[in-house]
C-alpha cells in the first residue's frame, strides 16, 4: 500500500510503498477513505510535537473509512462498519490499524470527508469551551484564527452554546466564512487593532487562541475581569509569555487544552463530547467546512496550505 511516512528524525515525510499492516489484539484495520490534516502533522514531521512517535511512522491523526479486519480477541466494530478514528498517527495511507475503542460509528449520511474533518477540530472546540472554560450563554467569546481548522469550529460551537462571538481572522474572504458560521462581530487582524476593537465591544469573557504571538498579547489585554483564556496552539510560531501579575490583578484564568491528551487519562471527556457533537451534526446544526480535498500524492500540497494559512476550515486527503 501507499503511505506518507517519516522514515527518520529530521527527514521530510514522503510517499512510500509498504506492506498492508495486520491488526494486533484490541485493534481494527480500516480501509481509509479520508484523512484530515492538522497543524500537528507539520510539527510531528519536524520532530516538534508534544506527543512524538518514534520513526518510522505514518503521518495523519484522524481518519474515516470502513473496518475490514479485526485483531485477535477484538469484538468489534464489525467488518463493513463505517467509522471515524483518532489514531494520532497512521492516517495518511490506504490502510491503517487503530485501537478498536477509539472507533466511532458514523451516522447515516455523514460523508467520509466530513467525518475526517470532524473529530479533532470540533472535539477541541467543544471540550475547550464546555469542559474547560465552562462558557455560559450570553458571554462574549473571542476566537482568534477564526477561519482555520479549529477556529471555525469554535465559532460554530460557541454560537450553539449561546455566546456572542467575535471572530478574528486575516482578510475579508476569511471573515466572510466566519460570518457564515455564525459570528456576530468580525475583526480583521491585518488592519484592525484587536485590543481596541474587542474593548469597544465590551471585552472578552473567553478567548480561544490557536495562533499565539502578538494576537494572544492583544487579546489578553482585552479581557474582562475573570475571563478565561484557552491556548489551543501556536500557528504564529510564537509561544506567548503570560505575565502572572496581570492574571492576579484581573482574576484571569489560563486553561491549557490538549484534546488528544484526554484519550490517555479521561477518555470519557472525549467520548461524551463526541456524542453531543454527532447529535448536533445529525440535527443539521453543525456543517464541517472543508476547503480542499486532495489525493494522497498531493499531501505535501495540503500541508503547505496549512503552513501558509491559505486554507479555511479543514484540508482532507483521500487515499
Amino acid at each position: 500500500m501507499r503511505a506518507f511516512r517519516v522514515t527518520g528524525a529530521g527527514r521530510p515525510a514522503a510517499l512510500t510503498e509498504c506492506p498492508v499492516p495486520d491488526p494486533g489484539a484490541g485493534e481494527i484495520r480500516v480501509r481509509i477513505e479520508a484523512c484530515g490534516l492538522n497543524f500537528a502533522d507539520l510539527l510531528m514531521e519536524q520532530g516538534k510535537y508534544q506527543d512524538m512517535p518514534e520513526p518510522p511512522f505514518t503521518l495523519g491523526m484522524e481518519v474515516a473509512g470502513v473496518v475490514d479486519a479485526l485483531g485477535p480477541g477484538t469484538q468489534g466494530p464489525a467488518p463493513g462498519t463505517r467509522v471515524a478514528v483518532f489514531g494520532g498517527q497512521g492516517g495518511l495511507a490506504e490502510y491503517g490499524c487503530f485501537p478498536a475503542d477509539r472507533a466511532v460509528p458514523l451516522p447515516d449520511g455523514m460523508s467520509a470527508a466530513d467525518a475526517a474533518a470532524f473529530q479533532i477540530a470540533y472535539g477541541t472546540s467543544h471540550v475547550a469551551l464546555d469542559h474547560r472554560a465552562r462558557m455560559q450563554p450570553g458571554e462574549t467569546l473571542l476566537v482568534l484564527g477564526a477561519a482555520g481548522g479549529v477556529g471555525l469550529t469554535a465559532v460554530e460551537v460557541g454560537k450553539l452554546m449561546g455566546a456572542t462571538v467575535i471572530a478574528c481572522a486575516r482578510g475579508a474572504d476569511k471573515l466572510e466564512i466566519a460570518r457564515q458560521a455564525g459570528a456576530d462581530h468580525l475583526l480583521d487582524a491585518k488592519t484592525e487593532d484587536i485590543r481596541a476593537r474587542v474593548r469597544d465591544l465590551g471585552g472578552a469573557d473567553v478567548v480561544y487562541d490557536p495562533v499565539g504571538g502578538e494576537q494572544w498579547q492583544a487579546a489578553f489585554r482585552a479581557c474582562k475581569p475573570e475571563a478565561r483564556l484557552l491556548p489551543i496552539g501556536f500557528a504564529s510560531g510564537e509561544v506567548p509569555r503570560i505575565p502572572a501579575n496581570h492574571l492576579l490583578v484581573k482574576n484571569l484564568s489560563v486553561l491549557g487544552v490538549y484534546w488528544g491528551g484526554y484519550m490517555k487519562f479521561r477518555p470519557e471527556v472525549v467520548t461524551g463530547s463526541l456524542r453531543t457533537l454527532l447529535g448536533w451534526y445529525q440535527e443539521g446544526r453543525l456543517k464541517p467546512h472543508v476547503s480542499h480535498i486532495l489525493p494522497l500524492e498531493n499531501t505535501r500540497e495540503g500541508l503547505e496550505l496549512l503552513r501558509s494559512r491559505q486554507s479555511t476550515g479543514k484540508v482532507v486527503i483521500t487515499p
Side-chain angles (χ1 to χ4, degrees), residues 26-276:
E27 290 187 333
I28 56 173
R29 186 171 67 202
V30 177
R31 177 170 53 80
I32 296 169
E33 296 179 340
C35 177
L37 293 186
N38 292 276
F39 195 80
D41 291 309
L42 290 167
L43 298 177
M44 202 176 289
E45 183 183 28
Q46 297 164 9
K48 297 179 179 179
Y49 194 54
Q50 64 259 24
D51 192 6
M52 280 294 300
E54 287 293 326
F57 64 90
T58 299
L59 290 174
M61 303 182 78
E62 56 182 334
V63 304
V66 178
V67 177
D68 90 321
L70 303 179
T74 306
Q75 299 302 309
T81 305
R82 297 179 67 243
V83 295
V85 185
F86 169 74
Q89 59 170 300
L92 287 168
E94 294 173 329
Y95 291 86
C97 294
F98 308 100
D101 59 5
R102 293 192 179 189
V104 180
L106 297 183
D108 292 340
M110 189 178 206
S111 70
D114 275 4
F118 195 85
Q119 287 191 91
I120 293 176
Y122 281 108
T124 295
S125 292
H126 186 251
V127 167
L129 298 177
D130 182 65
H131 178 72
R132 295 293 282 148
R134 308 290 184 188
M135 191 173 69
Q136 299 301 306
E139 290 192 309
T140 296
L141 167 66
L142 170 61
V143 180
L144 305 179
V150 291
L152 195 59
T153 64
V155 174
E156 281 189 273
V157 171
K159 283 302 296 181
L160 284 175
M161 292 178 65
T164 297
V165 178
I166 305 170
C168 179
R170 298 177 69 83
D173 291 346
K174 290 186 175 182
L175 287 170
E176 173 57 22
I177 291 169
R179 186 194 65 78
Q180 292 176 16
D184 299 284
H185 304 284
L186 306 177
L187 198 170
D188 192 333
K190 288 169 59 176
T191 60
E192 296 185 80
D193 184 322
I194 294 173
R195 177 185 180 186
R197 181 74 191 288
V198 174
R199 282 186 164 184
D200 287 345
L201 292 169
D205 295 294
V206 178
V207 175
Y208 182 99
D209 180 21
V211 178
E214 293 181 357
Q215 291 192 28
W216 166 279
Q217 300 299 342
F220 188 90
R221 288 166 172 77
C223 285
K224 298 178 184 179
E226 293 194 325
R228 289 87 75 205
L229 298 101
L230 300 159
I232 306 297
F234 314 106
S236 68
E238 181 182 340
V239 179
R241 295 183 178 182
I242 300 168
N245 58 323
H246 291 194
L247 296 178
L248 181 153
V249 170
K250 295 183 73 174
N251 292 290
L252 303 178
S253 299
V254 178
L255 304 166
V257 183
Y258 173 35
W259 181 82
Y262 280 104
M263 291 291 194
K264 298 179 179 179
F265 68 93
R266 287 196 64 191
E268 72 277 6
V269 172
V270 170
T271 54
S273 171
L274 285 174
R275 279 196 297 271
T276 297

Side-chain angles (χ1 to χ4, degrees), residues 7-26:
T7 57
R11 298 179 189 172
L15 195 61
T16 64
E17 293 281 340
C18 58
V20 174
D22 293 320

